Amino acid sequence: MGLLLLVPLLLLPGSYGLPFYNGFYYSNSANDQNPGNGHGKDLLNGVKLVVETPEETLFTYQGASVILPCRYRYEPALVSPRRVRIKWWKLSENGAPEKDVLVAIGLRHRSFGDYQGRVHLRQDKEHDVSLEIQDLRLEDYGRYRCEVIDGLEDESGLVELELRGVVFPYQSPNGRYQFNFHEGQQVCAEQGAVVASFEQLFRAWEEGLDWCNAGWLQDATVQYPIMLPRQPCGGPGLAPGVRSYGPRHRRLHRYDVFCFATALKGRVYYLEHPEKLTLTEAREACQEDDAMIAKVGQLFAAWKFHGLDRCDAGWLADGSVRYPVVHPHPNCGPPEPGVRSFGFPDPQSRLYGVYCYRQH
C-alpha cells in the first residue's frame, strides 16, 4: 500500500518548478548522518546512485579559486539521462551556523549569502557537479557537502577545504589578557586574520609553536601551546602539549587571542627609506610607494610562506614594531626562526622603518 501511495506524489505537476529557498529540498540534519563519501542507495528500479568526492583534504590560500570535486554515477549505467537536483552546503562547526552555498536543477541554479557571484558548478563533463569557489575568504575553509537528488532518493559526499596559513598569538597594547571573545574576533580581523581553530593551533604546536599566555580559539575555548614545559607555564613536570582552560564566557572573561592568517596574493616588503619614521610617517611612506602599511597577519604570512627574512625592525598597521627572521644569525635576536616583536613603542619614536604590503 505504501508503494501505491508514492505514485501520485511522483506525478504531481510542477515538482521541478518549486521556488528556490534555503533548505527547501529536505532536512539537512538527516543527511549529515551519512558517515562517508561515495556510498550509494538503491533506487526504486534497482539502479544505485553513487556520489564520489575526494577523501584527502584540499589546501589553498586566501584570494585564490578552488574546485571542490564531486561526480555521480549509476550502477548499472543508465541508457537515458535523468534530471537531478544538486545542492552544496557548508556544514556547521565551531559554533558557526550551517550555510547553503548553491542549489541547481539542470541549467538553473541559485547561490546564497556571501557565496553569491563567487560560486558555480563545473558541468564540463557528464555527471560532473564540482563546485568552483572564487576569491576565497578566510571564513570559507571547512567541510562542504555535495548532494545529488534523484526523485525521492539522494546521496552525498563530503569535501574538506583548508587554507594554508599560520597561527600567531596576539596581545593588546595594554598588556596580556585584555580581550573578551568578541574583541578577540575583532582584533584578528583588523590584522587580516580570523580566530584560529583548535585544529589550526594543534598543527602549529606540532610545528613548534611554544607560547605561555592563554588565548581564545574559534570555539570560545581558551588554550595555549607548550613545547618546553617550565615553571611559569604549568610547571616543568607536565608533558608538552596544548593546555586548555576549557570553554569561557564569551563576554565576561578576558585573555589574549590566537589568530590565523593565510598565505598572501600580494607582497610584504621592508621599505628602503633614507630616514627612520614615526608611525604616521610610516603609513604615509607606504602610501607614497603605492602600497599600504602591513598588518601583523600579513607579516606572519610573508615570513611563513614567502620566506621574508629581514633583521630590520619596522612599524606595522596596529602600531607594533616587528621583524621576520627565517635564518637566525648573530645580532638578530634568539637562535630560532620567528617574527620578533618590540611591542608597541611610542608612535612618535623615530627609531624604526616600516613594512609595507602591495597587492599584485
Side-chain angles (χ1 to χ4, degrees):
M1 186 64 182
L3 184 58
L4 294 176
L5 291 174
L6 281 174
V7 175
L9 293 175
L10 291 171
L11 296 178
L12 283 175
S15 60
Y16 284 110
L18 292 171
F20 289 109
Y21 63 92
N22 289 358
F24 83 91
Y25 288 135
Y26 43 76
S27 167
N28 288 344
S29 59
N31 293 306
D32 284 352
Q33 296 174 3
N34 183 357
N37 295 345
H39 297 281
K41 293 182 180 179
D42 291 330
L43 301 180
L44 293 178
N45 62 0
V47 177
K48 186 167 69 173
L49 172 63
V50 178
V51 172
E52 298 174 328
T53 51
E55 295 183 0
E56 66 275 7
T57 300
L58 305 181
F59 286 90
T60 184
Y61 59 91
Q62 184 180 2
S65 296
V66 66
I67 296 173
L68 309 187
C70 183
R71 290 180 55 83
Y72 70 95
R73 56 186 170 84
Y74 294 95
E75 295 178 350
L78 298 178
V79 176
S80 56
R82 290 189 177 188
R83 197 179 194 188
V84 297
R85 301 173 180 179
I86 308 298
K87 178 170 182 178
W88 279 92
W89 78 90
K90 186 173 185 286
L91 301 187
S92 172
E93 54 190 335
N94 293 322
E98 182 178 277
K99 292 183 179 180
D100 288 334
V101 177
L102 179 144
V103 290
I105 302 175
L107 297 178
R108 296 172 51 211
H109 72 276
R110 180 178 176 183
S111 54
F112 298 94
D114 294 337
Y115 293 98
Q116 291 184 20
R118 296 196 297 128
V119 296
H120 70 273
L121 288 184
R122 302 265 301 187
Q123 295 178 298
D124 301 337
K125 299 178 181 179
E126 187 180 15
H127 297 171
D128 183 2
V129 290
S130 301
L131 181 75
E132 180 173 2
I133 308 177
Q134 298 175 337
D135 188 24
L136 276 163
R137 302 173 182 176
L138 280 168
E139 59 270 21
D140 287 340
Y141 78 88
R143 297 178 300 152
Y144 291 78
R145 192 168 287 281
C146 166
E147 183 158 39
V148 180
I149 304 106
D150 185 333
L152 296 181
E153 300 296 332
D154 63 83
E155 179 54 32
S156 65
L158 192 67
V159 182
E160 187 162 359
L161 178 65
E162 275 282 359
L163 300 183
R164 296 192 183 278
V166 56
V167 173
F168 61 94
Y170 192 81
Q171 192 172 90
S172 167
N174 298 321
R176 67 199 293 260
Y177 296 176
Q178 297 292 315
F179 306 127
N180 66 27
F181 177 74
H182 305 291
E183 291 165 344
Q185 288 181 311
Q186 180 179 343
V187 297
C188 284
E190 290 170 352
Q191 300 314 313
V194 293
V195 179
S197 68
F198 171 78
E199 292 76 15
Q200 291 163 347
L201 181 66
F202 186 82
R203 190 177 303 120
W205 170 76
E206 290 182 314
E207 295 174 356
L209 180 61
D210 183 274
W211 193 257
C212 201
N213 290 343
W216 291 105
L217 294 181
Q218 193 178 86
D219 58 0
T221 61
V222 172
Q223 311 198 34
Y224 63 99
I226 293 297
M227 295 294 297
L228 301 172
R230 51 201 184 272
Q231 191 60 47
C233 306
L238 294 179
V242 177
R243 312 274 171 78
S244 177
Y245 286 15
R248 287 305 199 222
H249 195 286
R250 294 172 184 244
R251 183 172 55 85
L252 298 180
H253 290 144
R254 293 184 175 274
Y255 295 93
D256 293 344
V257 63
F258 289 100
C259 302
F260 175 80
T262 71
L264 302 169
K265 291 183 68 176
R267 171 176 169 255
V268 174
Y269 60 97
Y270 182 82
L271 180 65
E272 299 294 346
H273 197 275
E275 300 176 348
K276 301 299 183 181
L277 306 163
T278 67
L279 178 57
T280 299
E281 291 168 345
R283 297 181 191 277
E284 294 172 349
C286 287
Q287 292 174 353
E288 291 171 359
D289 203 46
D290 296 324
M292 62 185 70
I293 189 169
K295 299 177 180 180
V296 176
Q298 293 168 342
L299 183 67
F300 269 92
W303 164 76
K304 177 77 172 179
F305 297 104
H306 295 180
L308 183 61
D309 185 272
R310 188 85 190 210
C311 201
D312 297 283
W315 291 106
L316 295 177
D318 65 336
S320 66
V321 171
R322 308 175 194 246
Y323 64 98
V325 175
V326 176
H327 305 290
H329 50 86
N331 302 320
C332 201
E336 299 84 18
V339 175
R340 323 282 195 224
S341 176
F342 280 61
F344 295 84
D346 179 353
Q348 298 303 316
S349 170
R350 281 195 171 90
L351 298 176
Y352 312 105
V354 62
Y355 286 93
C356 303
Y357 171 72
R358 181 184 294 144
Q359 292 183 327
H360 288 324

